[in-house]
Amino acid sequence: NAGVTQTPKFQVLKTGQSMTLQCAQDMNHEYMSWYRQDPGMGLRLIHYSVGAGITDQGEVPNGYNVSRSTTEDFPLRLLSAAPSQTSVYFCASSQPGQGSYEQYFGPGTRLTVT
Amino acid sequence: GQQVMQIPQYQHVQEGEDFTTYCNSSTTLSNIQWYKQRPGGHPVFLIQLVKSGEVKKQKRLTFQFGEAKKNSSLHITATQTTDVGTYFCAGGNNQGGKLIFGQGTELSVKP
């Protein structure tokens, strides 16, 4: 199993450009989440999904869109990139079983917006 | 909304000293998780606590969940250089996979 994969690993965008960060998992997990990590801010939840076709907003959803058409994939779209979106983005998945919500994280995408 | 605060932000210790990081939630939690992130890496799950007053141990690491299920701590006994990294707590409130992370405590260990 590859676990959680993310592409690309690095990306530089100009202000106003759009792009999609890809996330895929091969563990058949129901739950998937997107976080951004900034120095001193920890991990902040952007959007999450509890199953295909179901998404919800996290703490910092503005400027980002998500969809979950399959169990495996959970792409994150930046509609019009801004310098404030410069960050490291992590995707995570989990499969609750008997109350366990252990999350498996991907390797991250480092995004710079100039 | 729910907030999870974690202190201290940084901790520098000499190898062999103990280390503790504390986590406090603004609301009662259904569970709390702890993760470790090595420099340049991604967060890796350490443990989950669900019961009021629960204490769990993993070798030199001791995890506690408060009686009111609003606070938690991670204690490392006799730190080693392999303990270097950032430790995060994350609180869950039974909203599916939704977790709110603390800001993390960055641990450095001087040999």
Side-chain angles (χ1 to χ4, degrees):
Chain A
N1 286 351
V4 180
T5 57
Q6 291 183 239
T7 56
K9 289 187 178 179
F10 301 93
Q11 183 71 50
V12 179
L13 290 178
K14 294 185 176 178
T15 297
Q17 287 184 319
S18 62
M19 79 158 294
T20 299
L21 278 62
Q22 301 291 345
C23 174
Q25 53 93 7
D26 62 359
M27 298 174 282
N28 203 33
H29 285 175
E30 288 183 59
Y31 296 169
M32 295 186 76
S33 302
W34 275 104
Y35 297 88
R36 60 176 289 172
Q37 185 173 30
D38 304 292
M41 303 287 287
L43 292 146
R44 290 184 292 170
L45 182 65
I46 304 172
H47 287 285
Y48 66 104
S49 168
V50 298
I54 306 169
T55 63
D56 205 349
Q57 295 182 349
E59 303 169 85
V60 288
N62 292 341
Y64 307 95
N65 275 0
V66 291
S67 59
R68 184 98 179 270
S69 56
T70 68
T71 299
E72 295 78 18
D73 300 298
F74 191 41
L76 178 72
R77 296 182 190 84
L78 279 68
L79 308 173
S80 177
S84 60
Q85 294 179 304
T86 293
S87 188
V88 180
Y89 291 85
F90 288 101
C91 178
S93 73
S94 63
Q95 180 60 37
Q98 300 179 347
S100 172
Y101 294 103
E102 171 184 353
Q103 298 214 352
Y104 295 80
F105 282 81
T109 294
R110 187 173 296 272
L111 176 67
T112 302
V113 182
T114 61
Chain B
Q2 179 188 357
Q3 290 186 322
V4 176
M5 306 298 292
Q6 192 175 351
I7 57 169
Q9 189 172 357
Y10 303 98
Q11 187 76 58
H12 309 285
V13 300
Q14 195 78 30
E15 189 172 22
E17 292 182 337
D18 292 356
F19 159 77
T20 305
T21 174
Y22 301 91
C23 189
N24 286 285
S25 171
S26 59
T27 60
T28 302
L29 301 170
S30 62
N31 66 84
I32 195 153
Q33 301 180 17
W34 286 90
Y35 291 80
K36 178 182 179 180
Q37 184 178 24
R38 287 199 164 93
H42 60 273
V44 175
F45 176 83
L46 293 175
I47 209 161
Q48 176 177 283
L49 306 170
V50 296
K51 296 178 183 177
S52 170
E54 188 170 15
V55 178
K56 287 188 176 180
K57 292 190 175 183
Q58 289 180 349
K59 297 182 180 178
R60 294 178 295 104
L61 277 62
T62 302
F63 304 85
Q64 292 188 329
F65 201 9
E67 294 290 339
K69 299 183 75 173
K70 295 180 72 173
N71 60 287
S72 181
S73 64
L74 158 60
H75 180 82
I76 302 178
T77 303
T79 54
Q80 300 175 359
T81 54
T82 54
D83 296 325
V84 164
T86 301
Y87 293 84
F88 292 98
C89 61
N93 56 5
N94 278 337
Q95 288 187 30
K98 183 177 180 181
L99 285 179
I100 301 299
F101 278 77
Q103 298 91 331
T105 296
E106 184 179 338
L107 173 65
S108 64
V109 180
K110 189 175 182 181

